[in-house]
Each structure stands twice: as structure tokens, then as C-alpha cells.
Amino acid sequence: MRPWILAAALAVTTMTSVAPAHAAACNGYVGLTFDDGPSNAHTPALLNALRQNGLRATMFNEGQYAAAYPAQVRAQVSAGMWVGNHSYTHPHLTQQSQSQMDSEISRTQQAISAAGGGTPKLFRPPYGETNGTLQAVEAKYGLRQIIWDVDSQDWNNASVDAIVQANARLGNGQIILMHEWPGNTLSAIPRIAQTLASRGLCAGMISPQTGRAVAPG
């Protein structure tokens, strides 16, 4: 074998041997959620940060934005994210009639599906506001209502440190509220990944059956 061929072969062997043999074990799963997308302004950077840090999340999209930015819905799915329904225009649904609630939910189901995001099975009511009428409409569309266990307060100008600390409070099966638009949330993602890994927690999917975070199916 010529020396340069041997050297190349050794280099390949060396590179292969130092690759990680397996991913870290998961002792539990948490649900990372991002509301209010998609957008051309924020979705690409968010997806890039999540992918680079080995995280998957549930994106609760507004129907009006799914209709306006269908390519970003497809990008969410391509990046391994799950897509949920967050109403069409983000109103205070509990102040609306049942027919208005129905319109908000059904139009979002259609917009996300038409954009290539599949038919959502999860619904997050805007502001976390719900009542029996809304839950009946959700049930009509086969949707599981998802609130949250921890509020990152990123919508309230929480610092990067505060957002990371909020994620550090998550326990197995729990869900955190974040949003796609705050710059501090984007900046926090690498440290969120490190914090979860240090506790043996992995980013999981939210089960439509139980509403809790579980291993990705």
C-alpha cells in the first residue's frame, strides 16, 4: 500500500474510533414548547439552535402564521419538531362563543395541515385560558389540551439565566412554556441542553393520550 493511501486509511480509522458510540441515556423526558410561530424572522434560527443542540420540541403554531409561512411549518417538521394548534389569531377564547372557538381551532387545523405540518393532536389555548365550552370544541377535533408545568417568563423579558433556571426546574414528564420570538430564549438554548443533559433528562414528545412528555415515538 502506498504511504499516502495508508495514511488516509489510518486517518479514517482514527476519526471513526473517536465518534461517540451512543447517545447519553435518558432517565426521563421533558416537553419543550414554543408558542406563537411560525415566522420567517424567528423560526429558522430557533430550529437551527435546537438541531445543533440535539433538542426536539413542540411548536404551538398560530393558524394565521401557518397560512402565511407554510415553508416554515414544513421546516419545523423536517427538523424533527412536533406541531400543535395554538388558535388562529390568539384571542381570549373564553370570552368567545362556541362557534367562534370552533372557527379558531378548525381553521388552524386546516392551515397547519395544508402547510405540510400534519393534523395536530395537541392544542394550547392562548394565555392558558380554558373552560368547559372550549374543551368540548377541542374534543370535537380530537385535540388534547396542553397547558404547562413551568412558565419560563420569556414573554415577560426574562433573562437568559432565568430561562435556563426555569428549564432546570422541570421534572420527568413535565412541560415548559417558551416562545419562538424572544432573543433571550434563543440564546438560552445551548445552556438548556447542557442543563437537561446534566440531569439525565431528554427532550421528548408530548403524548396525545396523557398530555405528558414521553420518549419520542
Side-chain angles (χ1 to χ4, degrees):
M1 184 178 286
R2 292 191 178 99
W4 65 267
I5 295 177
L6 178 59
L10 286 171
V12 170
T13 304
T14 304
M15 285 190 292
T16 304
S17 64
V18 298
H22 55 78
C26 299
N27 298 323
Y29 293 88
V30 298
L32 306 179
T33 69
F34 296 88
D35 290 9
D36 298 350
S39 70
N40 288 339
H42 304 291
T43 304
L46 175 61
L47 295 179
N48 191 46
L50 291 168
R51 270 199 312 262
Q52 286 182 343
N53 289 280
L55 298 176
R56 297 176 74 183
T58 301
M59 322 303 282
F60 282 105
N61 287 341
E62 292 181 36
Q64 60 181 340
Y65 299 138
Y69 306 107
Q72 298 301 345
V73 177
R74 291 192 293 275
Q76 291 171 338
V77 174
S78 296
M81 309 303 154
W82 300 279
V83 179
N85 183 325
H86 192 40
S87 80
Y88 203 85
T89 64
H90 207 280
H92 291 277
L93 286 172
T94 54
Q95 299 172 16
Q96 296 197 329
S97 68
Q98 184 165 344
S99 64
Q100 288 172 316
M101 293 176 180
D102 193 295
S103 175
E104 283 282 332
I105 288 176
S106 65
R107 285 189 297 153
T108 303
Q109 291 291 90
Q110 292 163 7
I112 289 173
S113 178
T119 301
K121 296 180 175 131
L122 307 176
F123 176 74
R124 169 162 287 162
Y127 313 103
E129 298 168 350
T130 188
N131 60 21
T133 305
L134 179 58
Q135 288 168 38
V137 176
E138 294 165 8
K140 173 183 172 182
Y141 292 97
L143 290 162
R144 161 73 65 167
Q145 179 173 281
I146 305 297
I147 309 293
W148 53 82
D149 299 290
V150 178
D151 180 351
S152 71
Q153 292 282 314
D154 65 347
W155 54 271
N156 197 26
N157 296 315
S159 67
V160 174
D161 285 347
I163 295 167
V164 173
Q165 288 160 11
N167 278 271
R169 296 202 300 272
L170 288 169
N172 182 38
Q174 290 192 319
I175 294 163
I176 187 164
L177 169 69
M178 293 181 284
H179 296 78
E180 82 145 36
W181 48 267
N184 284 346
T185 302
L186 181 64
S187 298
I189 287 173
R191 289 174 54 196
I192 290 170
Q194 293 164 4
T195 299
L196 294 178
S198 72
R199 300 175 58 223
L201 294 172
C202 294
M205 65 177 281
I206 299 173
S207 166
Q209 286 73 44
T210 65
R212 308 305 292 157
V214 296

